[in-house]
Short mmCIF file of all heavy atoms in Angstrom, two decimals:
data_model
loop_
_atom_site.label_atom_id
_atom_site.label_comp_id
_atom_site.label_asym_id
_atom_site.label_seq_id
_atom_site.Cartn_x
_atom_site.Cartn_y
_atom_site.Cartn_z
N LEU A 39 -0.71 39.50 -23.91
CA LEU A 39 -1.89 40.01 -23.16
C LEU A 39 -1.41 40.71 -21.93
O LEU A 39 -0.48 40.29 -21.30
CB LEU A 39 -2.93 38.85 -22.84
CG LEU A 39 -3.47 38.12 -23.94
CD1 LEU A 39 -4.20 37.00 -23.53
CD2 LEU A 39 -4.38 39.04 -24.81
N ASP A 40 -2.04 41.81 -21.63
CA ASP A 40 -1.75 42.50 -20.50
C ASP A 40 -0.16 42.88 -20.45
O ASP A 40 0.45 42.73 -19.38
CB ASP A 40 -2.19 41.87 -19.18
CG ASP A 40 -2.12 42.66 -17.99
OD1 ASP A 40 -2.17 43.97 -18.05
OD2 ASP A 40 -1.91 42.11 -16.82
N ALA A 41 0.25 43.07 -21.59
CA ALA A 41 1.79 43.25 -21.81
C ALA A 41 2.35 44.32 -20.94
O ALA A 41 3.43 44.21 -20.28
CB ALA A 41 2.10 43.52 -23.34
N GLU A 42 1.72 45.58 -20.93
CA GLU A 42 2.29 46.62 -20.14
C GLU A 42 2.41 46.27 -18.71
O GLU A 42 3.57 46.55 -18.06
CB GLU A 42 1.52 47.87 -20.36
CG GLU A 42 2.05 49.09 -19.65
CD GLU A 42 1.27 50.36 -19.95
OE1 GLU A 42 0.49 50.43 -20.91
OE2 GLU A 42 1.31 51.24 -19.10
N GLY A 43 1.41 45.82 -18.11
CA GLY A 43 1.43 45.43 -16.67
C GLY A 43 2.35 44.36 -16.41
O GLY A 43 2.99 44.26 -15.31
N SER A 44 2.45 43.34 -17.24
CA SER A 44 3.27 42.20 -17.01
C SER A 44 4.84 42.40 -17.12
O SER A 44 5.52 41.93 -16.51
CB SER A 44 2.95 41.07 -18.02
OG SER A 44 1.62 40.69 -17.75
N ARG A 45 5.11 43.46 -17.98
CA ARG A 45 6.48 43.71 -18.21
C ARG A 45 7.08 44.63 -17.09
O ARG A 45 8.32 44.82 -16.90
CB ARG A 45 6.77 44.42 -19.57
CG ARG A 45 6.52 43.46 -20.69
CD ARG A 45 6.75 44.07 -21.99
NE ARG A 45 6.52 43.03 -23.07
CZ ARG A 45 5.82 43.22 -24.21
NH1 ARG A 45 5.32 44.39 -24.40
NH2 ARG A 45 5.59 42.27 -24.93
N ARG A 46 6.20 45.32 -16.29
CA ARG A 46 6.63 46.00 -15.22
C ARG A 46 6.92 45.07 -14.05
O ARG A 46 6.26 44.05 -13.90
CB ARG A 46 5.52 47.05 -14.90
CG ARG A 46 5.47 48.32 -15.55
CD ARG A 46 4.72 49.31 -14.85
NE ARG A 46 3.35 48.96 -14.57
CZ ARG A 46 2.30 49.18 -15.28
NH1 ARG A 46 2.37 49.88 -16.37
NH2 ARG A 46 1.07 48.76 -14.86
N ILE A 47 7.82 45.36 -13.19
CA ILE A 47 8.11 44.59 -12.01
C ILE A 47 6.74 44.59 -11.09
O ILE A 47 6.35 45.59 -10.76
CB ILE A 47 9.33 45.15 -11.09
CG1 ILE A 47 10.60 44.97 -11.96
CG2 ILE A 47 9.39 44.23 -9.77
CD1 ILE A 47 11.87 45.54 -11.40
N HIS A 48 6.38 43.39 -10.70
CA HIS A 48 5.13 43.30 -9.98
C HIS A 48 5.35 42.00 -9.04
O HIS A 48 6.23 41.21 -9.35
CB HIS A 48 3.97 43.30 -10.72
CG HIS A 48 3.79 42.13 -11.63
ND1 HIS A 48 4.48 42.15 -12.93
CD2 HIS A 48 3.13 40.86 -11.59
CE1 HIS A 48 4.23 40.88 -13.55
NE2 HIS A 48 3.37 40.24 -12.69
N GLY A 49 4.56 41.93 -8.06
CA GLY A 49 4.77 40.71 -7.08
C GLY A 49 3.46 40.02 -6.86
O GLY A 49 2.39 40.37 -7.12
N HIS A 50 3.63 38.79 -6.23
CA HIS A 50 2.65 37.90 -5.86
C HIS A 50 2.84 37.17 -4.67
O HIS A 50 4.11 37.03 -4.33
CB HIS A 50 2.34 36.80 -6.94
CG HIS A 50 2.15 37.38 -8.36
ND1 HIS A 50 0.82 37.85 -8.81
CD2 HIS A 50 2.85 37.29 -9.44
CE1 HIS A 50 0.85 38.26 -10.00
NE2 HIS A 50 2.12 37.95 -10.48
N THR A 51 1.88 36.77 -4.03
CA THR A 51 1.93 35.76 -2.90
C THR A 51 1.59 34.44 -3.54
O THR A 51 0.58 34.18 -4.17
CB THR A 51 0.92 36.09 -1.82
OG1 THR A 51 1.13 37.38 -1.18
CG2 THR A 51 0.94 34.96 -0.73
N TYR A 52 2.62 33.51 -3.44
CA TYR A 52 2.45 32.12 -4.04
C TYR A 52 2.22 31.16 -2.94
O TYR A 52 2.78 31.24 -1.76
CB TYR A 52 3.81 31.82 -4.94
CG TYR A 52 3.98 32.54 -6.10
CD1 TYR A 52 4.88 33.71 -5.93
CD2 TYR A 52 3.49 32.23 -7.29
CE1 TYR A 52 5.15 34.55 -7.11
CE2 TYR A 52 3.79 32.97 -8.48
CZ TYR A 52 4.64 34.15 -8.26
OH TYR A 52 5.00 34.84 -9.40
N GLN A 53 1.43 30.09 -3.22
CA GLN A 53 1.29 29.04 -2.33
C GLN A 53 1.74 27.82 -3.12
O GLN A 53 1.25 27.70 -4.29
CB GLN A 53 -0.13 28.84 -1.95
CG GLN A 53 -0.35 27.70 -1.07
CD GLN A 53 -1.77 27.49 -0.68
OE1 GLN A 53 -2.32 28.45 -0.15
NE2 GLN A 53 -2.43 26.40 -0.95
#
Side-chain angles (χ1 to χ4, degrees):
L39 296 173
D40 193 24
E42 186 178 331
S44 294
R45 289 185 182 129
R46 283 195 301 262
I47 295 174
H48 61 283
H50 302 282
T51 298
Y52 294 91
Q53 175 181 308

